[in-house]
mmCIF file of all heavy atoms in Angstrom:
data_model
loop_
_atom_site.group_PDB
_atom_site.id
_atom_site.type_symbol
_atom_site.label_atom_id
_atom_site.label_comp_id
_atom_site.label_asym_id
_atom_site.label_seq_id
_atom_site.Cartn_x
_atom_site.Cartn_y
_atom_site.Cartn_z
ATOM 1 N N GLY A 1 3.282 -14.479 -13.502
ATOM 2 C CA GLY A 1 1.990 -14.174 -12.896
ATOM 3 C C GLY A 1 1.304 -15.413 -12.338
ATOM 4 O O GLY A 1 0.187 -15.329 -11.824
ATOM 5 N N ALA A 2 1.958 -16.584 -12.429
ATOM 6 C CA ALA A 2 1.406 -17.817 -11.923
ATOM 7 C C ALA A 2 1.543 -17.809 -10.352
ATOM 8 O O ALA A 2 2.531 -17.352 -9.826
ATOM 9 C CB ALA A 2 2.092 -19.046 -12.487
ATOM 10 N N ALA A 3 0.527 -18.341 -9.663
ATOM 11 C CA ALA A 3 0.541 -18.394 -8.258
ATOM 12 C C ALA A 3 1.635 -19.330 -7.761
ATOM 13 O O ALA A 3 1.954 -20.356 -8.368
ATOM 14 C CB ALA A 3 -0.802 -18.893 -7.766
ATOM 15 N N ILE A 4 2.210 -18.976 -6.585
ATOM 16 C CA ILE A 4 3.205 -19.852 -5.913
ATOM 17 C C ILE A 4 2.572 -20.417 -4.630
ATOM 18 O O ILE A 4 2.472 -19.724 -3.632
ATOM 19 C CB ILE A 4 4.468 -19.073 -5.576
ATOM 20 C CG1 ILE A 4 5.096 -18.474 -6.857
ATOM 21 C CG2 ILE A 4 5.481 -20.005 -4.882
ATOM 22 C CD1 ILE A 4 6.327 -17.652 -6.622
ATOM 23 N N PRO A 5 2.137 -21.674 -4.688
ATOM 24 C CA PRO A 5 1.558 -22.260 -3.482
ATOM 25 C C PRO A 5 2.659 -22.638 -2.507
ATOM 26 O O PRO A 5 3.794 -22.898 -2.916
ATOM 27 C CB PRO A 5 0.833 -23.494 -4.012
ATOM 28 C CG PRO A 5 1.480 -23.819 -5.276
ATOM 29 C CD PRO A 5 2.048 -22.518 -5.857
ATOM 30 N N ALA A 6 2.331 -22.706 -1.251
ATOM 31 C CA ALA A 6 3.217 -23.129 -0.163
ATOM 32 C C ALA A 6 4.467 -22.271 0.000
ATOM 33 O O ALA A 6 5.475 -22.703 0.568
ATOM 34 C CB ALA A 6 3.627 -24.622 -0.331
ATOM 35 N N ALA A 7 4.380 -21.024 -0.415
ATOM 36 C CA ALA A 7 5.495 -20.076 -0.190
ATOM 37 C C ALA A 7 5.426 -19.716 1.328
ATOM 38 O O ALA A 7 4.292 -19.621 1.941
ATOM 39 C CB ALA A 7 5.339 -18.844 -1.022
ATOM 40 N N THR A 8 6.550 -19.505 1.957
ATOM 41 C CA THR A 8 6.609 -19.135 3.346
ATOM 42 C C THR A 8 6.496 -17.619 3.455
ATOM 43 O O THR A 8 7.214 -16.876 2.855
ATOM 44 C CB THR A 8 7.956 -19.598 3.986
ATOM 45 O OG1 THR A 8 8.049 -21.022 3.817
ATOM 46 C CG2 THR A 8 8.029 -19.226 5.468
ATOM 47 N N VAL A 9 5.546 -17.190 4.306
ATOM 48 C CA VAL A 9 5.245 -15.772 4.511
ATOM 49 C C VAL A 9 5.463 -15.473 5.981
ATOM 50 O O VAL A 9 4.830 -16.064 6.815
ATOM 51 C CB VAL A 9 3.828 -15.359 4.090
ATOM 52 C CG1 VAL A 9 3.563 -13.889 4.345
ATOM 53 C CG2 VAL A 9 3.575 -15.778 2.677
ATOM 54 N N ILE A 10 6.402 -14.558 6.295
ATOM 55 C CA ILE A 10 6.696 -14.222 7.678
ATOM 56 C C ILE A 10 6.231 -12.746 7.859
ATOM 57 O O ILE A 10 6.732 -11.852 7.228
ATOM 58 C CB ILE A 10 8.192 -14.287 8.037
ATOM 59 C CG1 ILE A 10 8.680 -15.687 7.695
ATOM 60 C CG2 ILE A 10 8.462 -13.893 9.451
ATOM 61 C CD1 ILE A 10 10.210 -15.843 7.711
ATOM 62 N N VAL A 11 5.270 -12.570 8.738
ATOM 63 C CA VAL A 11 4.699 -11.265 9.014
ATOM 64 C C VAL A 11 5.222 -10.834 10.408
ATOM 65 O O VAL A 11 5.110 -11.566 11.358
ATOM 66 C CB VAL A 11 3.121 -11.294 9.021
ATOM 67 C CG1 VAL A 11 2.568 -9.964 9.413
ATOM 68 C CG2 VAL A 11 2.620 -11.766 7.687
ATOM 69 N N SER A 12 5.799 -9.589 10.454
ATOM 70 C CA SER A 12 6.295 -9.143 11.709
ATOM 71 C C SER A 12 5.928 -7.675 11.954
ATOM 72 O O SER A 12 5.847 -6.873 10.994
ATOM 73 C CB SER A 12 7.820 -9.336 11.774
ATOM 74 O OG SER A 12 8.465 -8.643 10.725
ATOM 75 N N GLY A 13 5.705 -7.413 13.211
ATOM 76 C CA GLY A 13 5.367 -6.034 13.641
ATOM 77 C C GLY A 13 6.031 -5.768 14.973
ATOM 78 O O GLY A 13 6.947 -6.552 15.374
ATOM 79 N N ALA A 14 5.672 -4.722 15.632
ATOM 80 C CA ALA A 14 6.289 -4.304 16.900
ATOM 81 C C ALA A 14 6.307 -5.453 17.921
ATOM 82 O O ALA A 14 7.288 -5.687 18.577
ATOM 83 C CB ALA A 14 5.649 -3.091 17.424
ATOM 84 N N HIS A 15 5.200 -6.113 18.063
ATOM 85 C CA HIS A 15 5.086 -7.188 19.054
ATOM 86 C C HIS A 15 4.477 -8.438 18.486
ATOM 87 O O HIS A 15 3.710 -9.161 19.110
ATOM 88 C CB HIS A 15 4.162 -6.688 20.244
ATOM 89 C CG HIS A 15 4.671 -5.466 20.915
ATOM 90 N ND1 HIS A 15 5.815 -5.444 21.695
ATOM 91 C CD2 HIS A 15 4.261 -4.199 20.841
ATOM 92 C CE1 HIS A 15 6.001 -4.219 22.112
ATOM 93 N NE2 HIS A 15 5.109 -3.447 21.615
ATOM 94 N N PHE A 16 4.796 -8.704 17.195
ATOM 95 C CA PHE A 16 4.168 -9.808 16.480
ATOM 96 C C PHE A 16 5.139 -10.369 15.474
ATOM 97 O O PHE A 16 5.692 -9.611 14.645
ATOM 98 C CB PHE A 16 2.896 -9.261 15.814
ATOM 99 C CG PHE A 16 2.113 -10.339 15.061
ATOM 100 C CD1 PHE A 16 1.223 -11.129 15.643
ATOM 101 C CD2 PHE A 16 2.376 -10.512 13.686
ATOM 102 C CE1 PHE A 16 0.532 -12.098 14.935
ATOM 103 C CE2 PHE A 16 1.676 -11.498 12.986
ATOM 104 C CZ PHE A 16 0.744 -12.252 13.604
ATOM 105 N N VAL A 17 5.340 -11.686 15.462
ATOM 106 C CA VAL A 17 6.071 -12.383 14.409
ATOM 107 C C VAL A 17 5.362 -13.681 14.218
ATOM 108 O O VAL A 17 5.222 -14.451 15.217
ATOM 109 C CB VAL A 17 7.561 -12.595 14.702
ATOM 110 C CG1 VAL A 17 8.210 -13.415 13.630
ATOM 111 C CG2 VAL A 17 8.258 -11.290 14.913
ATOM 112 N N GLN A 18 4.933 -13.976 13.000
ATOM 113 C CA GLN A 18 4.282 -15.248 12.759
ATOM 114 C C GLN A 18 4.549 -15.738 11.354
ATOM 115 O O GLN A 18 4.618 -14.898 10.410
ATOM 116 C CB GLN A 18 2.756 -15.217 13.047
ATOM 117 C CG GLN A 18 2.169 -16.541 13.177
ATOM 118 C CD GLN A 18 0.852 -16.571 13.958
ATOM 119 O OE1 GLN A 18 0.411 -15.565 14.452
ATOM 120 N NE2 GLN A 18 0.223 -17.719 14.003
ATOM 121 N N THR A 19 4.636 -16.991 11.176
ATOM 122 C CA THR A 19 4.945 -17.574 9.819
ATOM 123 C C THR A 19 3.696 -18.271 9.337
ATOM 124 O O THR A 19 3.002 -18.996 10.050
ATOM 125 C CB THR A 19 6.098 -18.580 9.998
ATOM 126 O OG1 THR A 19 7.262 -17.903 10.485
ATOM 127 C CG2 THR A 19 6.415 -19.191 8.626
ATOM 128 N N PHE A 20 3.401 -18.041 8.048
ATOM 129 C CA PHE A 20 2.267 -18.632 7.361
ATOM 130 C C PHE A 20 2.766 -19.256 6.075
ATOM 131 O O PHE A 20 3.882 -19.002 5.607
ATOM 132 C CB PHE A 20 1.248 -17.538 7.053
ATOM 133 C CG PHE A 20 0.755 -16.830 8.278
ATOM 134 C CD1 PHE A 20 1.400 -15.665 8.681
ATOM 135 C CD2 PHE A 20 -0.321 -17.288 9.021
ATOM 136 C CE1 PHE A 20 0.982 -14.994 9.786
ATOM 137 C CE2 PHE A 20 -0.747 -16.601 10.128
ATOM 138 C CZ PHE A 20 -0.086 -15.449 10.541
ATOM 139 N N ALA A 21 1.887 -19.954 5.412
ATOM 140 C CA ALA A 21 2.136 -20.514 4.090
ATOM 141 C C ALA A 21 1.032 -20.085 3.159
ATOM 142 O O ALA A 21 -0.155 -20.000 3.570
ATOM 143 C CB ALA A 21 2.276 -22.031 4.085
ATOM 144 N N THR A 22 1.370 -19.780 1.892
ATOM 145 C CA THR A 22 0.338 -19.479 0.921
ATOM 146 C C THR A 22 -0.520 -20.699 0.588
ATOM 147 O O THR A 22 0.025 -21.829 0.744
ATOM 148 C CB THR A 22 0.911 -18.865 -0.386
ATOM 149 O OG1 THR A 22 1.813 -19.786 -0.916
ATOM 150 C CG2 THR A 22 1.654 -17.580 -0.080
ATOM 151 N N ASP A 23 -1.739 -20.479 0.277
ATOM 152 C CA ASP A 23 -2.619 -21.647 -0.058
ATOM 153 C C ASP A 23 -2.323 -22.077 -1.542
ATOM 154 O O ASP A 23 -1.374 -21.574 -2.159
ATOM 155 C CB ASP A 23 -4.096 -21.320 0.140
ATOM 156 C CG ASP A 23 -4.613 -20.209 -0.759
ATOM 157 O OD1 ASP A 23 -3.931 -19.829 -1.745
ATOM 158 O OD2 ASP A 23 -5.732 -19.696 -0.476
ATOM 159 N N GLU A 24 -3.119 -22.992 -2.051
ATOM 160 C CA GLU A 24 -2.897 -23.530 -3.372
ATOM 161 C C GLU A 24 -3.052 -22.493 -4.493
ATOM 162 O O GLU A 24 -2.569 -22.682 -5.612
ATOM 163 C CB GLU A 24 -3.775 -24.750 -3.650
ATOM 164 C CG GLU A 24 -5.286 -24.449 -3.626
ATOM 165 C CD GLU A 24 -5.905 -24.402 -2.256
ATOM 166 O OE1 GLU A 24 -5.204 -24.782 -1.262
ATOM 167 O OE2 GLU A 24 -7.071 -23.985 -2.139
ATOM 168 N N THR A 25 -3.677 -21.343 -4.168
ATOM 169 C CA THR A 25 -3.803 -20.292 -5.171
ATOM 170 C C THR A 25 -2.805 -19.138 -4.912
ATOM 171 O O THR A 25 -2.896 -18.077 -5.510
ATOM 172 C CB THR A 25 -5.224 -19.703 -5.141
ATOM 173 O OG1 THR A 25 -5.488 -19.110 -3.872
ATOM 174 C CG2 THR A 25 -6.259 -20.767 -5.446
ATOM 175 N N GLY A 26 -1.807 -19.436 -4.058
ATOM 176 C CA GLY A 26 -0.780 -18.443 -3.758
ATOM 177 C C GLY A 26 -1.188 -17.294 -2.831
ATOM 178 O O GLY A 26 -0.437 -16.354 -2.654
ATOM 179 N N GLN A 27 -2.347 -17.431 -2.245
ATOM 180 C CA GLN A 27 -2.840 -16.328 -1.394
ATOM 181 C C GLN A 27 -2.565 -16.613 0.094
ATOM 182 O O GLN A 27 -2.436 -17.738 0.534
ATOM 183 C CB GLN A 27 -4.347 -16.199 -1.561
ATOM 184 C CG GLN A 27 -4.691 -15.770 -2.984
ATOM 185 C CD GLN A 27 -6.190 -15.547 -3.156
ATOM 186 O OE1 GLN A 27 -6.858 -14.981 -2.283
ATOM 187 N NE2 GLN A 27 -6.725 -15.970 -4.266
ATOM 188 N N TYR A 28 -2.438 -15.503 0.854
ATOM 189 C CA TYR A 28 -2.316 -15.569 2.285
ATOM 190 C C TYR A 28 -3.163 -14.472 2.925
ATOM 191 O O TYR A 28 -3.431 -13.448 2.253
ATOM 192 C CB TYR A 28 -0.873 -15.461 2.725
ATOM 193 C CG TYR A 28 -0.257 -14.070 2.549
ATOM 194 C CD1 TYR A 28 -0.269 -13.117 3.568
ATOM 195 C CD2 TYR A 28 0.297 -13.773 1.315
ATOM 196 C CE1 TYR A 28 0.265 -11.888 3.314
ATOM 197 C CE2 TYR A 28 0.862 -12.521 1.102
ATOM 198 C CZ TYR A 28 0.823 -11.595 2.099
ATOM 199 O OH TYR A 28 1.322 -10.330 1.916
ATOM 200 N N ALA A 29 -3.608 -14.654 4.131
ATOM 201 C CA ALA A 29 -4.348 -13.614 4.834
ATOM 202 C C ALA A 29 -4.091 -13.767 6.335
ATOM 203 O O ALA A 29 -4.138 -14.910 6.859
ATOM 204 C CB ALA A 29 -5.857 -13.754 4.563
ATOM 205 N N VAL A 30 -3.833 -12.651 6.980
ATOM 206 C CA VAL A 30 -3.640 -12.620 8.397
ATOM 207 C C VAL A 30 -4.552 -11.594 8.981
ATOM 208 O O VAL A 30 -4.432 -10.407 8.663
ATOM 209 C CB VAL A 30 -2.159 -12.212 8.733
ATOM 210 C CG1 VAL A 30 -1.918 -12.331 10.241
ATOM 211 C CG2 VAL A 30 -1.162 -13.006 7.941
ATOM 212 N N SER A 31 -5.510 -12.025 9.806
ATOM 213 C CA SER A 31 -6.481 -11.133 10.364
ATOM 214 C C SER A 31 -6.244 -10.963 11.875
ATOM 215 O O SER A 31 -5.533 -11.722 12.487
ATOM 216 C CB SER A 31 -7.916 -11.567 10.066
ATOM 217 O OG SER A 31 -8.108 -12.850 10.558
ATOM 218 N N GLY A 32 -6.916 -9.955 12.475
ATOM 219 C CA GLY A 32 -6.793 -9.791 13.884
ATOM 220 C C GLY A 32 -5.497 -9.063 14.320
ATOM 221 O O GLY A 32 -5.159 -9.148 15.507
ATOM 222 N N LEU A 33 -4.902 -8.355 13.407
ATOM 223 C CA LEU A 33 -3.662 -7.670 13.722
ATOM 224 C C LEU A 33 -3.924 -6.299 14.329
ATOM 225 O O LEU A 33 -4.876 -5.647 13.931
ATOM 226 C CB LEU A 33 -2.796 -7.506 12.491
ATOM 227 C CG LEU A 33 -2.303 -8.775 11.805
ATOM 228 C CD1 LEU A 33 -1.643 -8.436 10.431
ATOM 229 C CD2 LEU A 33 -1.334 -9.495 12.667
ATOM 230 N N LEU A 34 -3.119 -5.944 15.287
ATOM 231 C CA LEU A 34 -3.235 -4.559 15.883
ATOM 232 C C LEU A 34 -2.769 -3.566 14.832
ATOM 233 O O LEU A 34 -1.852 -3.830 14.057
ATOM 234 C CB LEU A 34 -2.414 -4.455 17.096
ATOM 235 C CG LEU A 34 -2.845 -5.292 18.338
ATOM 236 C CD1 LEU A 34 -1.818 -5.191 19.425
ATOM 237 C CD2 LEU A 34 -4.197 -4.733 18.857
ATOM 238 N N PRO A 35 -3.386 -2.383 14.760
ATOM 239 C CA PRO A 35 -2.932 -1.390 13.819
ATOM 240 C C PRO A 35 -1.474 -1.020 14.112
ATOM 241 O O PRO A 35 -1.020 -1.066 15.243
ATOM 242 C CB PRO A 35 -3.841 -0.190 14.165
ATOM 243 C CG PRO A 35 -5.055 -0.788 14.774
ATOM 244 C CD PRO A 35 -4.550 -1.953 15.498
ATOM 245 N N GLY A 36 -0.748 -0.712 13.050
ATOM 246 C CA GLY A 36 0.682 -0.353 13.217
ATOM 247 C C GLY A 36 1.474 -0.653 11.968
ATOM 248 O O GLY A 36 0.930 -0.876 10.874
ATOM 249 N N HIS A 37 2.782 -0.657 12.109
ATOM 250 C CA HIS A 37 3.716 -0.901 11.011
ATOM 251 C C HIS A 37 4.141 -2.336 11.057
ATOM 252 O O HIS A 37 4.525 -2.896 12.065
ATOM 253 C CB HIS A 37 4.940 0.028 11.204
ATOM 254 C CG HIS A 37 4.576 1.468 11.061
ATOM 255 N ND1 HIS A 37 4.601 2.163 9.895
ATOM 256 C CD2 HIS A 37 4.188 2.386 11.995
ATOM 257 C CE1 HIS A 37 4.299 3.402 10.112
ATOM 258 N NE2 HIS A 37 3.975 3.581 11.374
ATOM 259 N N TYR A 38 4.111 -2.968 9.827
ATOM 260 C CA TYR A 38 4.509 -4.360 9.725
ATOM 261 C C TYR A 38 5.446 -4.509 8.454
ATOM 262 O O TYR A 38 5.534 -3.650 7.611
ATOM 263 C CB TYR A 38 3.232 -5.182 9.484
ATOM 264 C CG TYR A 38 2.415 -5.358 10.728
ATOM 265 C CD1 TYR A 38 1.488 -4.368 11.088
ATOM 266 C CD2 TYR A 38 2.538 -6.473 11.508
ATOM 267 C CE1 TYR A 38 0.749 -4.498 12.221
ATOM 268 C CE2 TYR A 38 1.748 -6.592 12.649
ATOM 269 C CZ TYR A 38 0.867 -5.613 12.996
ATOM 270 O OH TYR A 38 0.140 -5.728 14.132
ATOM 271 N N SER A 39 6.113 -5.641 8.480
ATOM 272 C CA SER A 39 6.897 -6.052 7.306
ATOM 273 C C SER A 39 6.546 -7.502 6.995
ATOM 274 O O SER A 39 6.101 -8.248 7.854
ATOM 275 C CB SER A 39 8.394 -5.871 7.552
ATOM 276 O OG SER A 39 8.802 -6.755 8.542
ATOM 277 N N VAL A 40 6.781 -7.850 5.710
ATOM 278 C CA VAL A 40 6.489 -9.174 5.246
ATOM 279 C C VAL A 40 7.757 -9.689 4.516
ATOM 280 O O VAL A 40 8.289 -8.988 3.662
ATOM 281 C CB VAL A 40 5.303 -9.173 4.235
ATOM 282 C CG1 VAL A 40 5.067 -10.561 3.658
ATOM 283 C CG2 VAL A 40 4.051 -8.676 4.931
#
């Protein structure tokens, strides 16, 4: 249950692929996405 900082998060959708990293508390947030189906 401990947070994993700096994990690589790849978010992809129909016309979107972007890579992020989790912060020091293991959290990530991606805003401004078009509604639809995504994978992480």
Side-chain angles (χ1 to χ4, degrees):
I4 301 177
T8 301
V9 179
I10 303 168
V11 177
S12 57
H15 302 288
F16 179 87
V17 175
Q18 195 158 357
T19 302
F20 303 90
T22 57
D23 66 12
E24 62 278 351
T25 63
Q27 296 183 41
Y28 68 93
V30 186
S31 58
L33 297 171
L34 291 172
H37 295 269
Y38 288 83
S39 65
V40 176

